[in-house]
Amino acid sequence: MLARSFRELLGRKTLIAGDVGSGKTQMAVELLKEAVSLGYGPQITVIDTAPATTVVKGKKVGGKIADLTDATRQVRYLAPERVEAPRLSAETPEHLLRLVALNKSRIDEAIGAYLSEPTKILFVNDISMYFQSGSAEPVLEAAKKAETFIANGYYGQYLAHDQGAGVSEVERRLMDHLAKHMDEVIRL
């Protein structure tokens, strides 16, 4: 059951934040499905920056919105072909940083496509993946262009270990920074 409805979030900037398995993506999916059912589909862009679903210590990590609902067929859906899971797959701190940089370049394309042709409503799945790179401005610009902005992102301890690369700290700091620009932050 939704804590909030899409109608309540219409015209607002909203961040859904929480740890692994807290229901962030599922909440975004339910809000998207509601928005589409209300006829907003042509006005919606979804930028999906999540890596493929992986199971870590018995919990599902990552996952694309398109894998959870066919509502993405009724909106503009922008997603890199592949997003890495740096903290889960890197063998060294240097490898982790290379994967973060690779993700940023892939996600920049999707954000750039939105910025060049914005829609009134923007959903972003797993925005914290982009924040690992230390960059926030393109996301803030996209949030400003959208009349309604709904993003979810990781904010927790479950995946905090980053081999000393510092990306977890940067990610958290930029999630806090984004939260300051939101009308509402839903913590799960």
Side-chain angles (χ1 to χ4, degrees), residues 2 14 20-22 24 28-29 33 40 44 46 50-51 61 85 93 98 104 106 129 132 153 172 174:
L2 280 177
T14 305
V20 169
S22 62
K24 303 175 301 293
V29 165
K33 287 172 25 181
Y40 290 103
I44 299 172
V46 173
V61 178
R98 282 195 307 274
K104 181 186 182 306
R106 291 172 176 168
M129 292 298 294
Q132 292 174 4
R172 180 175 278 271
L174 292 180

Side-chain angles (χ1 to χ4, degrees), residues 27-187:
M27 178 179 267
V29 165
E30 295 304 320
L31 291 167
L32 177 63
K33 287 172 25 181
E34 180 186 354
V36 168
S37 75
L38 293 170
Y40 290 103
Q43 300 174 46
I44 299 172
T45 298
V46 173
I47 299 176
D48 202 335
T49 70
T53 303
T54 311
V55 177
V56 178
K57 300 178 196 169
K59 288 192 179 188
K60 287 197 323 190
V61 178
K64 301 262 185 218
I65 286 180
D67 294 338
L68 301 172
T69 178
D70 62 2
T72 55
R73 294 184 190 148
Q74 298 175 55
V75 303
R76 183 169 68 159
Y77 182 76
L78 304 173
E81 191 172 311
R82 180 177 167 94
V83 176
E84 308 299 328
R87 288 181 287 222
L88 301 179
S89 60
E91 297 168 5
T92 66
E94 296 76 23
H95 183 214
L96 191 146
L97 292 172
R98 282 195 307 274
L99 293 177
V100 166
L102 181 59
N103 282 345
K104 181 186 182 306
S105 68
R106 291 172 176 168
I107 296 167
D108 273 335
E109 289 182 34
I111 294 172
Y114 175 79
L115 290 173
S116 68
E117 194 179 329
T119 54
K120 290 182 177 186
I121 302 166
L122 175 61
F123 282 79
V124 184
N125 183 36
D126 212 351
I127 193 58
S128 52
M129 292 298 294
Y130 188 75
F131 288 159
Q132 292 174 4
S133 71
S135 181
E137 282 311 310
V139 173
L140 294 173
E141 187 179 343
K144 286 179 192 169
K145 286 193 179 275
E147 291 175 19
T148 302
F149 175 80
I150 299 171
N152 69 63
Y154 172 74
Y155 195 89
Q157 294 300 317
Y158 198 76
L159 297 175
H161 178 66
D162 63 8
Q163 300 186 35
V167 298
S168 293
E169 181 182 328
V170 168
E171 176 184 57
R172 180 175 278 271
R173 183 173 42 81
L174 292 180
M175 284 289 285
D176 287 336
H177 182 65
L178 179 62
K180 291 176 185 172
H181 291 85
M182 298 291 103
D183 297 313
E184 181 162 3
V185 177
I186 300 170
R187 298 204 186 269

